[in-house]
Amino acid sequence: MKKSLEKLVSQVIATGKFETFTDPSSPPARIARAALELFAEHSYEGTTTKAIADRARTTERTLFKHFESKDQLFARTVFPAFLQAWTSTIAEPAANLLEARRGDFRKTLRALLVNRIAIAVEHPAIVIMMWRELLIRPAFRSAHRKVLARRGKPIVETFIARGKSSGQIRELPTEAILRAITAQLVGYLVMRLVLAPEQAWDTEADADQILALIMRGIGRDRRRR
């Protein structure tokens, strides 16, 4: 987990998505890296500027020289890191998967579920951080909705439309189908990552069970045909 988070932080800093740091070892770059790590580990409220400065191997005075407040530091690290994580770790793999599998809705959805679970298990701190901030921070929810609407929604809507046109799923509102899929997946991930991480989990078998529950609600009832 630590290595995955470190890799993400390094990518965000290197691409200059939120700041242009020509020297990754410079004080502001080290502060940004330390802040994102600590926000992921302990939340915004559980992180102090002193802890950030200590991890960055600098002083609070230097921290406030580059970032006016902890809130500004949060806005300039977590928001962009979320956008970067959502795009490179979540959105792009999903788009590639859906594009490569245009035929069977059920098989494509299963592959997507396995992919989402694997990503969440590989990056638990990032996923939990995003959930936490979505719950308590309106600005974070707003940023999430904008990114989702721009990058994810068109792909998902096309996928669902294909399922309907092929007769594999019922003619329900797209939003209702999306809620059914999301509710099952997120509920499972909350159990696996937060409530019972010590339990034995089997991604492949669990994906089959989640898929069965989803399709029971949105799939065509073949017996009525």
Side-chain angles (χ1 to χ4, degrees):
M1 180 272 292
K2 190 72 177 273
K3 289 183 178 179
S4 298
L5 184 58
E6 273 291 320
K7 182 179 179 181
L8 172 63
V9 176
S10 299
Q11 288 174 344
V12 173
I13 293 175
T15 55
K17 292 292 184 181
F18 62 103
E19 292 288 350
T20 303
F21 295 124
T22 55
D23 180 7
S25 64
S26 65
R30 295 202 315 271
I31 290 167
R33 182 190 302 272
L36 182 53
E37 291 175 357
L38 289 169
F39 288 146
E41 293 169 11
H42 304 295
S43 82
Y44 175 87
E45 288 74 15
T47 300
T48 65
T49 52
K50 183 180 185 306
I52 295 170
D54 288 346
R55 182 169 292 196
R57 304 186 309 282
T58 188
T59 65
E60 283 188 275
R61 182 176 180 180
T62 300
L63 184 152
F64 288 120
K65 177 182 176 182
H66 297 285
F67 302 93
E68 294 178 4
S69 64
K70 187 173 80 166
D71 193 60
Q72 184 193 84
L73 181 54
F74 181 89
R76 289 163 66 180
T77 56
V78 173
F79 281 17
F82 163 73
L83 299 180
Q84 176 73 2
W86 202 96
T87 302
S88 63
T89 306
I90 300 175
E92 289 175 1
N96 294 337
L97 191 153
L98 293 178
E99 185 63 27
R101 294 169 171 263
R102 286 174 170 248
D104 192 298
F105 179 89
R106 188 185 184 95
K107 289 181 179 178
T108 304
L109 179 55
R110 186 190 183 281
L112 188 62
L113 290 171
V114 170
N115 176 264
R116 302 298 83 179
I117 294 169
I119 288 173
V121 170
E122 184 180 357
H123 305 278
I126 296 171
V127 173
I128 293 170
M129 177 190 72
M130 290 193 293
W131 285 345
R132 181 172 59 233
E133 302 308 329
L134 284 168
L135 285 171
I136 68 175
R137 205 168 297 279
F140 202 72
R141 288 197 296 273
S142 177
H144 173 268
R145 283 195 299 269
K146 289 178 182 177
V147 174
L148 191 64
R150 186 173 67 251
R151 297 179 181 274
K153 195 173 181 180
I155 299 170
V156 172
E157 288 180 342
T158 300
F159 171 56
I160 292 174
R162 287 174 182 161
K164 290 180 182 180
S165 63
S166 66
Q168 296 175 74
I169 58 176
R170 295 160 55 194
E171 284 294 337
L172 295 169
T174 297
E175 289 295 330
I177 294 173
L178 182 58
R179 284 197 300 270
I181 296 171
T182 303
Q184 289 294 334
L185 178 58
V186 172
Y188 168 82
L189 291 177
V190 168
M191 286 294 298
R192 182 163 178 172
L193 301 183
V194 181
L195 299 179
E198 73 288 346
Q199 185 174 318
W201 298 94
D202 183 333
T203 296
E204 295 290 336
D206 294 344
D208 285 333
Q209 292 173 1
I210 296 170
L211 179 64
L213 289 170
I214 292 172
M215 294 304 294
R216 191 171 298 168
I218 68 173
R220 290 281 189 183
D221 188 346
R222 301 296 182 183
R223 293 172 300 177
R224 296 181 181 178
R225 298 187 64 181

